[in-house]
Structures are given as structure tokens and as C-alpha cells.
Amino acid sequence: MSTAVLQAPPAAARTPHGLVRTVLRLHRGALWIWLAFVTATAGFLLWLLGPGAEAAQQKLAVYGYAGLIMSDGPATEYNDLFYYPGTLLTVASFAVALFAGGPLIARELESGTAQLAWTQSVSPARWLATALAVPAAFILLGTTLLTVLYHQLWSTHSDLLVAGIGPRSLYFSLGPATVAAPLLGLALGALIGLTARRTLPALAFSGFAYFQVYAFRGNHWPFQGRYQQPELSSRSRAFTSAGTEIRDPGCYDDKACLAKHDVVRFAREYLPSSDYWPRQLLETGVLLALTAVAVALAFGLLRRRAAIG
């Protein structure tokens, strides 16, 4: 990758578009991996929205909520699969931090590619700004798309989830804070990459630092995770063969009870929590503020080292 920059004419890096093309060329492998991840995860979410929900809904209609916890039922599989995109988004945030600390920053400094760019009419500040802005744009677009699809999945099929702590944690993972989290990973990784200046140490410290952020978010208000108060309540409903909505009689898999009440379909609605948007906005603000601090520290560190060098 360094060879491509060494052979590039100095004029290619004098324009913003030229520098952007250089960043894209250097990290095209990571770009294709990110695009493949977004495409695959979006496809998975669309499957959960459509065909995947149909078998689960049929199981719920026949067996009630017991159908959601039957080990051989498709609804059980669907309940588990419902949470996978959230796990994938979390893993992606870790990957962003590792990429920023290692290949994006530390490897370019370790190989001398960055220093060479600085001799081609590219200031250190402009180099870092472009190196952060290009992946940030792709991260913002990709995570926004996935979060919107995930929220649509919740709005459409959250009734297919087994009630408990899980749905509430997921509910608080479907807002702007989910988009802000990988941006913090990008900024934190860049700061560590500039500090370590070597690829392997930068990878290790970036992963450790983002793990600390993730652990803190899971245990402290207002961040999403295991903070469970106030409760996210739900409303269970049942429908007769005539389409009349009645109160859920609690029959579950009791076929005699289902026949007695003429129940042919169930539904569950999770009621909006009053602290959802206050927490979402506060958490998003904190994450973006930390991102800004990390970026400012990165530029300050770069200016000091460039002046010394």
C-alpha cells in the first residue's frame, strides 16, 4: 500500500479530492469489508422483517406465548435471531476502533507513508482530517441505515419477543446513540494510533479502550444496557375467530382453554418508555462530546509531534 503513495505524483495530494482518493485506495480492502457487512446485515434485517417473521407469527397464533419458548419451534429461533443484528453492530464498533488504531493511523506512521504525504504539500492536520472524515462518512451512512431498519423491525415484530430484560435492552439500542458509538470508536482508535505509532500495540490498546467504553455503557445510567428502571411494560392481547380483540386469557399452549375462549391469535405490544428519548439524547450527546474530545486531542498530539519532528 505504501508503494502506491510513493509512486503518486505530488500534485495528486494537493487537492481534497486527490487526498480522498488516496485514502480510499489505501484502505479499499476495509471499505469493501464494511460495504459487505452493511449489505449482509441489511439483508438479514429485511429477512427478519418479512419471511422470517411469518413462521414465528404462525407459531404464536397456534400455541400462544409458549410457542415462543418451545425448543423445536421456529419462533424460538426467531426470538434469538432478533437480537443478532444488535450484536453485529456492537462487533462492528469494536472493528472500527481496531481499524482506526491500526491500519488507518498507526500503520501509516510506522511505515512512513504519512510522513511522505506531509512532504507532498499535505499538512499533517489535513492528512488526519481526511483520514478520519472518509471512514466517518461511510460509518455514519451504514450504521444509520442499519439502525433505521432495526427500529422498523422492532416497530413491526417486537410482539414476537419473549418478554423480559432482553426486549428493553434492545429497545434502547435502536436510536441515535447506536450511530454515535462507532464514531467514538473511530476517534478513540485514531488517538491511540497517534500515541502508539506502531500497529500491533495500537490494535491492542484500541480494543482494550473500546471495551472499557462498552462495559461502562452497559452498567451506568443513562447508557443503554442493563439499566432497567423504569420498566418497559407490555400489553398482551388475544383475538377470536371473528377477529374480536379480547384480553389475553393466559391460555398459552392449553388447547382446551384456547377453544373455550375461541382464541386463534395472540399479539403483544411493548409500550413506549417515558425515559427513552431523554436517555437516547443524553447518551448520544455524551458519546459525541467524547468523540469531539478524542479528535481534538488527536489533532493536538499530531501538531506537537509534527513540530518536534
Side-chain angles (χ1 to χ4, degrees):
M1 289 186 177
S2 301
T3 305
V5 175
L6 289 170
Q7 294 176 347
R14 292 176 184 173
T15 65
H17 293 297
L19 191 54
V20 168
R21 286 195 297 269
T22 299
V23 173
L24 290 174
R25 185 170 67 250
L26 283 171
H27 303 290
R28 59 185 177 273
L31 173 61
W32 283 113
I33 291 174
W34 175 254
L35 292 176
F37 164 77
V38 172
T39 301
T41 306
F44 181 44
L45 285 166
L46 290 173
W47 179 84
L48 289 172
L49 273 165
E54 293 180 2
Q57 187 65 59
Q58 292 173 2
K59 197 70 173 181
L60 176 64
V62 173
Y63 295 104
Y65 295 125
L68 299 175
I69 57 176
M70 294 173 63
S71 60
D72 61 344
T76 299
E77 298 175 3
Y78 186 84
N79 181 81
D80 295 338
L81 292 175
F82 206 106
Y83 296 95
Y84 285 3
T87 302
L88 291 174
L89 284 168
T90 299
V91 172
S93 295
F94 273 96
V96 167
L98 293 175
F99 166 72
L104 184 65
I105 300 298
R107 187 176 65 186
E108 303 306 310
L109 293 172
E110 185 177 21
S111 65
T113 304
Q115 293 86 336
L116 178 63
W118 301 346
T119 66
Q120 297 180 344
S121 302
V122 177
S123 67
R126 185 174 149 203
W127 166 80
L128 180 59
T130 306
L132 291 177
V134 172
F138 284 98
I139 292 168
L140 183 62
L141 291 174
T143 53
T144 298
L145 171 64
L146 296 179
T147 303
V148 168
L149 287 175
Y150 212 0
H151 199 283
Q152 179 62 34
L153 177 63
W154 167 272
S155 300
T156 307
H157 297 302
S158 61
D159 61 306
L160 297 175
L161 295 177
V162 176
I165 293 176
R168 178 177 173 84
S169 297
L170 176 60
Y171 180 60
F172 280 88
S173 301
L174 305 179
T178 303
V179 179
L183 295 178
L184 175 58
L186 178 69
L188 192 61
L191 176 61
I192 292 174
L194 285 167
T195 303
R197 299 175 67 89
R198 298 185 63 184
T199 305
L200 292 180
L203 286 170
F205 285 118
S206 295
F208 177 77
Y210 195 79
F211 175 79
Q212 296 302 314
V213 171
Y214 175 77
F216 187 86
R217 290 179 66 200
N219 291 281
H220 297 81
W221 189 92
F223 302 107
Q224 65 195 37
R226 290 182 290 276
Y227 177 77
Q228 297 300 322
Q229 298 296 330
E231 293 294 336
L232 179 64
S233 59
S234 62
R235 179 171 60 219
S236 299
R237 295 172 293 166
F239 295 85
T240 67
S241 59
T244 304
E245 178 182 337
I246 63 174
R247 183 176 179 179
D248 186 353
C251 291
Y252 305 116
D253 59 348
D254 187 338
K255 293 185 178 181
C257 178
L258 292 174
K260 176 182 177 181
H261 293 278
D262 191 27
V263 172
V264 297
R265 183 166 62 89
F266 290 86
R268 178 189 290 128
E269 176 186 3
Y270 288 93
L271 305 180
S273 175
S274 60
D275 68 335
Y276 177 79
W277 279 111
R279 280 183 57 188
Q280 275 291 324
L281 295 177
L282 182 56
E283 179 179 8
T284 303
V286 170
L287 293 175
L288 292 178
L290 291 175
T291 300
V293 170
V295 170
L297 290 174
F299 276 98
L301 179 62
L302 180 63
R303 283 195 298 269
R304 187 177 66 178
R305 291 197 166 177
I308 295 175

